[in-house]
Amino acid sequence: MGQQIRQIRQQKGIRLNEFANEIGVSPAYLSNLETGKTQTIQFEVLSKLQKEHKLNIDESDSEADPLVWRVVRISEMLLELSSKNPIAADYFMKMVEEGSELFNNNSSNIH
């Protein structure tokens, strides 16, 4: 994914600092993404890269983090559902939020 991000930046013909500012991250974080030193990407950044810069995350890409791919896929599904059935989308988002909080707060007690 880092190589794709670098390609987007280079195709736009802008420097790392400018692109970092454009997508709302620090230059160091962007550099680490591009070089693969950082494997995690903030959801907001990933979403922005996908929408505004056509970043494509392919599940079959051996370098792509499967968790990131799933989160992006789920978010796309929820956005689509929200346009068709906002109540159902809200329900699923609340379940994820509440479930995450439950597991994060009680992770030492859950096996």
Side-chain angles (χ1 to χ4, degrees):
M1 184 171 13
Q3 290 176 347
Q4 286 182 311
I5 295 170
R6 178 177 284 155
Q7 286 175 345
I8 290 169
R9 179 176 61 78
Q10 290 174 339
Q11 287 173 353
K12 291 184 77 162
I14 60 176
R15 294 180 174 205
L16 188 130
N17 289 351
E18 292 174 75
F19 195 55
N21 188 48
E22 184 179 313
I23 62 173
V25 298
S26 72
Y29 178 76
L30 178 58
S31 176
N32 287 340
L33 280 175
E34 287 187 357
T35 59
K37 293 178 184 172
T38 296
Q39 297 297 321
T40 57
I41 186 167
Q42 300 164 354
F43 177 74
E44 295 82 15
V45 173
L46 183 61
S47 181
K48 187 172 191 170
L49 285 167
Q50 281 192 293
K51 289 178 185 170
E52 296 178 18
H53 302 287
K54 309 295 188 256
L55 176 68
N56 183 27
I57 296 179
D58 183 1
E59 181 184 21
S60 63
D61 184 354
S62 61
E63 293 183 16
D65 182 345
L67 177 61
V68 171
W69 182 86
R70 289 181 69 199
V71 168
V72 170
R73 182 171 167 265
I74 289 168
S75 69
E76 290 170 351
M77 293 168 70
L78 283 170
L79 287 171
E80 183 179 343
L81 179 60
S82 180
S83 68
K84 296 175 183 175
N85 188 336
I87 294 171
D90 186 59
Y91 169 79
F92 285 120
M93 287 187 283
K94 283 181 182 177
M95 290 300 103
V96 170
E97 291 166 343
E98 291 173 8
S100 293
E101 288 175 11
L102 175 69
F103 277 87
N104 284 331
N105 293 336
N106 297 313
S107 62
S108 62
N109 299 332
I110 300 173
H111 300 286

